[in-house]
């Protein structure tokens, strides 16, 4: 029994963190709010250069041959900086199925109805009647939907009239692709929530009212302590789900749903308390806070909402005879 | 990462499970927080000790099995799974013993550990006083040096002392340096409750048991061998005890895993009312939360194995398990409907006990202060 990451896994996380802090400061997220594709200038190439976009592709096929467990901490870093890129859709979902050499990819799996960045990727991996299809962008009919998070260029996707599709998986691949998407999304939410907590702790140490930092008041302390507790008891569920996916545990879908439900609620709490502790400054769009909050609202229901995931756990555990 | 148990651990689990299946009393004992029940529970503790299951993680010389922390977690899971009796020795074996192992002299280990494991000496905790609850450093009970007799004279009052009316001994903090303030000048003493000058009065608790007591000390003499750790260093010694109380040792995941299993069983048994989606949601959330607690413990034990100390993170754990315990019992009462008020429904008494969780071992308000200041680094007032 050992529930901890290896030094290699931590080193990969640190390397990605270092790159993202440099390449994706909040100003980069802010510019993605109004630019043409909602994405960043240089992080995709930097991630490609580090190999993490094809980390799950076997080494023989040109990838790093890593597992979801190796990538879960990277997803957290992606969340921490609110990276506006289809990282989970490409690295955890599409590339893991089709390998390298297909350009950048998005995905549309499970109960998800909208595809993110479908207009600026080369292909989208879609689930169609228990089959996975890779559809080239030119074969897609896209209709833009406006997300509360303006970096997320969302589309309904119609591939019914194109020949440019390749069948790349069956029911088992569909289920696993969705579970990897939900896990990656959960880890991203954890990073987002952790950052909301961190910036709020910093802010409340500097903002003074009544002649004292507001972070010295118990009413403020207890809110942020609650966020810290919620994250403490979401994090291990995420790591365990990543482990279960990497070893094909028979209960991996249940483990994914447990963490997805837990972190979605923890992230909601982080948003509420971060905003409240920032006060009116946090309500302003001049503060960076709103971009992290809106990403949480977008992702917390992106791959099955908490009720959906709880029901998946309930069917497995409560209804079992 | 490797979340599987080794063959040795699996064998340990099987051995514990088999012994418990053969030995746990088929009929539930009367509550150990009553005088009759306490005696019945001590008989059970003796059986546990004789089979070397009382203190599995201790060295063999004190009646243990030298079990690893992993094996201890496994034993706890099996113990609660078997619905075995409450551990009336818990304040000794789980709270005082780790402190004796860390700070005690060899003589103190030899004198107290085995009788504690056997249940022939039973320990209660003398922290709280009428005016020192959450503000524990406000302790007023005094220890006055008696050089002639070679010891200390203790005076004052301790209260809300769990099982104080039934135990033979008490460990507690006393102010030994009247000039020192707050956390300084306190000393950790071991006190036999049959010493001249000790008066114990039991009183009832919310859940109907007489498990509380107040302990009056009037010029009670204890010799130097009854000081645990250094004189005037009692705060540090006591904090080691509270770390055990809030975290790993007192409330292991096995306890809550068993409650969640019972809740799921209740949900299945209850039928119609269980179709309420809010109750279904609450039951499944309990399962998820308990699993989160189990996994968080696995991470903590891994970190301890790597040389880390759990320290203040036990405050995160304490708030979580205590509030989870209430949520689970709330859900059970909701499933029971009008039967919730019946005292023998298997949940109402435990529900009331669960309500004490956010109060004992340092109130959850104090824990949240600790989390904010010592984990998040927020400014002190």
């Amino acid at each position: 029994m050992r529930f901890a990451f290896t030094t290699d896994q931590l080193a990969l996380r640190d390397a990605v963190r270092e790159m993202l802090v440099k390449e994706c400061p909040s100003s980069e997220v802010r510019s993605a709010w109004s630019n043409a594709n909602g994405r960043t200038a240089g992080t995709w190439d930097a991630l490609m250069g580090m190999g993490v976009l094809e980390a799950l592709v076997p080494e023989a096929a040109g990838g790093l041959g890593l597992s979801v467990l190796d990538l879960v901490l990277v997803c957290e870093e992606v969340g921490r900086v609110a990276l506006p890129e289809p990282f989970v859709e490409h690295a955890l979902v599409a590339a893991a199925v089709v390998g390298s050499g297909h350009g950048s990819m998005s995905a549309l799996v499970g109960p998800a109805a909208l595809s993110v960045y479908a207009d600026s990727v080369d292909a989208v991996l879609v689930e169609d009647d228990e089959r996975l299809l890779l559809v080239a962008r030119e074969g897609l009919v896209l209709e833009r939907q406006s997300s509360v998070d303006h970096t997320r260029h969302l589309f309904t996707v119609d591939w019914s009239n194109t020949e440019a599709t390749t069948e790349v998986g069956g029911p088992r691949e569909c289920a696993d692709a969705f579970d990897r998407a939900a896990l990656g999304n959960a880890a991203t939410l954890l990073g987002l929530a952790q950052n909301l907590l961190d910036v709020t702790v910093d802010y409340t140490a500097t903002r003074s009212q009544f002649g004292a930092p507001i972070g010295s008041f118990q009413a403020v302390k207890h809110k942020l302590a609650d966020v810290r507790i919620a994250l403490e008891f979401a994090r291990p569920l995420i790591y365990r789900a990543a482990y279960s996916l990497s070893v094909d545990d028979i209960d991996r879908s249940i483990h994914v749903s447990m963490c997805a439900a837990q972190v979605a609620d923890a992230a909601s709490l982080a948003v509420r308390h971060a905003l409240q502790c920032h006060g009116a400054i946090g309500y302003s769009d001049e503060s960076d806070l709103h971009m992290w909050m809106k990403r949480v609202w977008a992702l917390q229901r992106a791959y099955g909402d908490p009720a959906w995931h709880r029901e998946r756990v309930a069917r497995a555990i409560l209804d079992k005879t | 990462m490797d979340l599987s148990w080794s063959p040795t651990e699996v064998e340990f689990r099987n051995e514990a499970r088999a012994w418990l299946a053969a030995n746990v009393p088929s009929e539930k004992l009367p509550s150990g927080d009553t005088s009759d029940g306490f005696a019945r529970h001590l008989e059970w503790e003796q059986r546990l000790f004789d089979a070397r299951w009382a203190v599995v993680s201790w060295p063999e010389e004190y009646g243990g099995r030298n079990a690893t922390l992993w094996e201890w977690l496994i034993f706890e899971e099996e113990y609660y799974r078997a619905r075995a009796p409450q551990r009336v020795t818990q304040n000794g074996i789980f709270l005082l013993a780790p402190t004796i192992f860390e700070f005690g002299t060899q003589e103190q280990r030899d004198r107290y550990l085995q009788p504690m494991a056997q249940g022939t000496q039973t320990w209660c905790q003398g922290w709280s006083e009428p005016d020192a609850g959450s503000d524990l450093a406000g302790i007023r009970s005094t220890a006055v040096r008696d050089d002639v007799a070679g010891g200390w004279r203790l005076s004052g009052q301790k209260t809300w002392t769990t099982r104080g009316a039934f135990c033979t001994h008490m460990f507690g903090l006393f102010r030994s340096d009247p000039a020192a303030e707050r956390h300084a000048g306190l000393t950790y003493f071991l006190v036999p409750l049959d010493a001249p000058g000790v008066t114990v009065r039991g009183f009832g608790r919310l859940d109907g048991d007489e498990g509380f007591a107040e302990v009056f000390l009037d010029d009670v003499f204890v010799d130097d061998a009854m000081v645990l750790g250094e004189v005037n260093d009692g705060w540090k010694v006591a904090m080691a005890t509270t770390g055990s109380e809030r975290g790993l040792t007192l409330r292991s995941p096995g306890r809550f895993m068993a409650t969640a299993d019972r809740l799921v069983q209740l949900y299945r048994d209850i039928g119609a009312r269980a179709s309420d989606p809010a109750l279904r949601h609450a039951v499944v959330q309990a399962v998820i939360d308990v699993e989160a607690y189990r996994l968080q413990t696995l991470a903590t034990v891994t970190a301890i194995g790597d040389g880390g100390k759990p320290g203040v993170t036990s405050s995160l754990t304490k708030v979580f398990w205590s509030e989870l315990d209430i949520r689970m019992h709330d859900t059970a009462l909701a499933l029971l409907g009008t039967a919730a008020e019946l005292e023998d429904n298997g949940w109402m008494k435990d529900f009331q006990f669960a309500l004490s969780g956010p109060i004992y071992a340092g109130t959850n308000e104090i824990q949240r202060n600790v989390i904010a200041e010592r984990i998040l680094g927020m400014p002190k007032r």
Side-chain angles (χ1 to χ4, degrees):
Chain A
M1 180 66 67
R2 179 169 180 79
F3 195 33
F5 288 95
T6 65
T7 48
D8 283 352
Q9 287 162 339
L10 296 172
L12 177 64
R13 175 199 65 186
D14 291 345
V16 172
R17 175 186 290 182
E18 195 182 331
M19 184 279 287
L20 287 175
V21 165
K22 194 159 130 274
E23 297 290 332
C24 189
S26 63
S27 57
E28 188 71 14
V29 183
R30 193 170 283 276
S31 66
W33 259 68
S34 53
N35 70 13
N37 63 8
R39 298 171 63 179
T40 61
T43 48
W44 195 259
D45 289 344
L47 288 165
M48 187 61 87
M50 299 178 81
V52 289
L53 290 179
E54 286 165 2
L56 299 189
V57 177
E59 277 183 281
L64 297 183
L66 298 179
S67 70
V68 174
L69 187 60
D70 300 305
L71 268 195
V72 65
L73 296 175
V74 172
C75 295
E76 251 181 278
E77 296 306 318
V78 162
R80 193 185 290 269
V81 298
L83 181 72
E85 294 287 351
F87 176 80
V88 167
E89 289 75 11
H90 178 100
L92 277 94
V93 185
V97 176
V98 301
S100 55
H102 300 273
S104 66
M105 294 175 280
S106 186
L108 186 56
V109 291
L114 300 170
S115 175
V116 67
Y117 302 122
D119 63 333
S120 61
V121 293
D122 298 302
V124 178
L125 184 78
V126 300
E127 183 178 335
D128 183 343
D129 194 20
E130 299 205 327
R131 294 174 306 156
L132 286 178
L133 308 176
L134 187 68
V135 190
R137 184 185 50 191
E138 52 273 19
L140 297 168
V141 178
L142 304 176
E143 190 178 336
R144 176 78 190 267
Q145 306 284 319
S146 182
S147 170
V148 63
D149 175 354
H150 290 194
T151 67
R152 281 173 59 82
H153 289 214
L154 287 177
F155 299 88
T156 57
V157 178
D158 181 359
W159 59 89
S160 55
N161 291 315
T162 177
E163 300 294 309
T165 65
T166 316
E167 186 170 334
V168 290
R172 161 79 196 242
E173 287 75 22
C174 285
D176 281 349
F178 169 70
D179 282 335
R180 286 195 308 276
L183 181 277
N185 191 63
T188 308
L189 276 165
L190 179 65
L192 284 159
Q194 183 66 54
N195 190 65
L196 282 165
L197 175 60
D198 292 346
V199 299
T200 308
V201 166
D202 289 348
Y203 176 74
T204 57
T206 54
R207 169 75 174 170
S208 274
Q209 290 288 275
F210 306 102
I214 60 170
S216 68
F217 303 137
Q218 287 192 340
V220 173
K221 280 181 175 158
H222 289 192
K223 280 189 162 55
L224 298 187
D226 282 340
V227 176
R228 181 65 181 74
I229 294 163
L231 296 182
E232 179 77 7
F233 293 94
R235 192 180 296 278
L237 288 168
I238 293 171
Y239 298 162
R240 202 279 286 274
Y243 172 83
S244 295
L245 287 172
S246 71
V247 300
D248 275 344
D249 189 296
I250 193 166
D251 289 327
R252 59 193 179 281
S253 293
I254 302 169
H255 299 161
V256 166
S257 280
M258 283 184 169
C259 82
Q262 193 85 335
V263 77
D265 286 355
S268 289
L269 191 74
V271 164
R272 283 296 306 277
H273 289 348
L275 175 58
Q276 189 66 24
C277 294
H278 273 78
I281 288 163
Y283 204 78
S284 147
D285 69 2
E286 293 175 354
S287 159
D288 290 336
L289 200 66
H290 81 99
M291 298 188 292
W292 270 254
M293 296 195 294
K294 287 168 183 168
R295 185 70 58 80
V296 168
W297 294 332
L299 296 190
Q300 68 184 353
R301 298 180 187 88
Y303 291 100
D305 63 25
W308 187 93
H309 282 292
R310 269 191 205 92
E311 185 52 29
R312 196 160 76 145
V313 178
R315 281 198 306 273
I317 290 177
L318 305 188
D319 301 343
K320 182 171 66 180
T321 47
Chain B
M1 197 172 290
D2 173 11
L3 300 186
S4 59
W5 298 108
S6 72
T8 320
E9 288 159 346
V10 171
E11 197 182 315
F12 180 88
R13 184 188 293 279
N14 290 339
E15 191 189 346
R17 184 175 292 189
W19 187 87
L20 288 162
N23 288 278
V24 168
S26 51
E27 222 164 285
K28 197 170 189 275
L29 302 181
S31 166
D33 297 348
T34 61
S35 68
D36 173 47
F38 189 77
R40 298 279 303 279
H41 278 75
L42 288 183
E43 293 165 16
W44 164 250
E45 288 292 336
Q46 182 70 51
R47 275 172 78 182
L48 274 177
F49 180 84
D50 291 343
R52 289 196 309 121
W53 290 113
V55 284
V56 293
S57 62
W58 291 16
E60 289 180 15
E61 55 183 307
Y62 301 118
R65 291 175 178 241
N66 250 324
T68 63
L69 263 180
W70 298 118
E71 289 167 334
W72 178 78
L73 284 177
I74 290 169
F75 177 73
E76 287 278 297
E77 285 181 16
E78 292 302 319
Y79 192 86
Y80 284 101
R81 185 179 171 276
R83 305 210 65 191
Q86 76 179 104
R87 303 298 303 273
V88 294
T89 55
Q90 66 169 33
N91 286 2
I93 60 174
F94 294 147
L95 305 185
L96 175 59
T99 316
I100 289 184
F101 278 118
E102 189 173 347
F103 296 95
T105 61
Q106 189 57 47
E107 188 203 340
Q108 286 170 330
R109 288 178 199 157
D110 293 342
R111 190 166 163 194
Y112 297 117
L113 290 173
Q114 184 176 318
M116 177 192 300
Q118 219 168 342
T120 52
Q121 277 177 8
T122 47
W123 291 84
C124 59
Q125 179 170 269
W127 288 164
S128 295
E129 298 180 2
D131 292 318
S134 284
D135 186 11
L136 186 58
I139 280 172
R140 291 184 191 172
S141 291
T142 56
V144 177
R145 183 72 202 155
D146 184 338
D147 277 327
V148 179
W152 297 81
R153 296 195 172 275
L154 309 179
S155 295
Q157 183 188 349
K158 299 289 179 180
T159 192
W160 309 305
T161 307
T162 296
R163 290 182 289 278
F166 321 130
C167 286
T168 60
H169 288 69
M170 178 178 81
F171 56 93
L173 282 181
F174 293 80
R175 191 161 292 288
S176 46
D177 178 357
E181 299 222 348
R182 305 282 300 160
H183 307 85
L186 297 170
T187 298
Y188 194 123
F189 283 96
L190 307 174
V191 187
L193 290 176
D194 61 357
V198 176
T199 310
V200 181
R201 183 187 77 88
F203 59 104
R205 296 190 312 207
L206 177 72
D207 64 358
D209 288 346
E210 62 195 90
F212 267 158
E214 47 189 358
V215 179
F216 300 90
L217 301 107
D218 180 13
D219 209 30
V220 175
F221 179 77
V222 290
D223 65 29
D224 285 331
M226 308 301 272
V227 173
L228 185 58
E230 299 295 318
V231 170
N232 294 335
D233 200 27
W235 185 262
K236 189 177 91 188
V237 183
M239 285 304 106
T241 303
T242 62
S244 303
E245 186 177 23
R246 289 166 188 167
L248 201 54
T249 50
L250 185 67
R251 295 287 179 255
S252 73
R255 180 187 179 104
F256 304 101
M257 290 161 72
T259 306
D261 284 347
R262 287 179 61 219
L263 185 60
V264 168
Q265 196 53 53
L266 179 67
Y267 174 88
R268 288 176 183 158
D269 294 346
I270 218 93
R273 210 168 17 256
S275 64
D276 177 346
L279 287 175
R280 183 172 169 85
H281 167 131
V283 173
V284 77
Q285 187 57 46
V287 170
I288 294 172
D289 283 338
V290 167
E291 182 62 2
Y293 182 34
R294 186 182 76 88
L295 292 165
Q296 193 259 6
T297 302
L298 297 183
T300 302
V301 172
T302 301
I304 291 172
D306 291 345
K309 285 216 161 201
V312 289
T313 60
S314 63
S315 291
L316 296 165
T317 311
K318 196 262 165 169
V319 173
F320 188 76
W321 62 247
S322 59
E323 296 182 356
L324 166 60
D325 204 25
I326 292 176
R327 287 196 298 276
M328 288 198 285
H329 285 86
D330 261 336
T331 303
L333 297 184
L335 285 167
L336 287 166
T338 53
E341 78 167 300
L342 301 177
E343 280 200 302
D344 59 357
N345 63 21
W347 291 92
M348 178 47 95
K349 187 174 161 71
D350 291 341
F351 163 71
Q352 293 173 75
F353 182 75
L355 289 174
S356 68
I359 300 170
Y360 68 76
T363 63
N364 285 10
E365 286 70 27
I366 295 297
Q367 306 307 328
R368 286 184 165 91
N369 288 349
V370 172
I371 292 163
E373 291 169 9
R374 296 177 62 194
I375 296 177
L376 296 177
M378 295 177 75
K380 290 199 173 189
R381 185 73 168 123

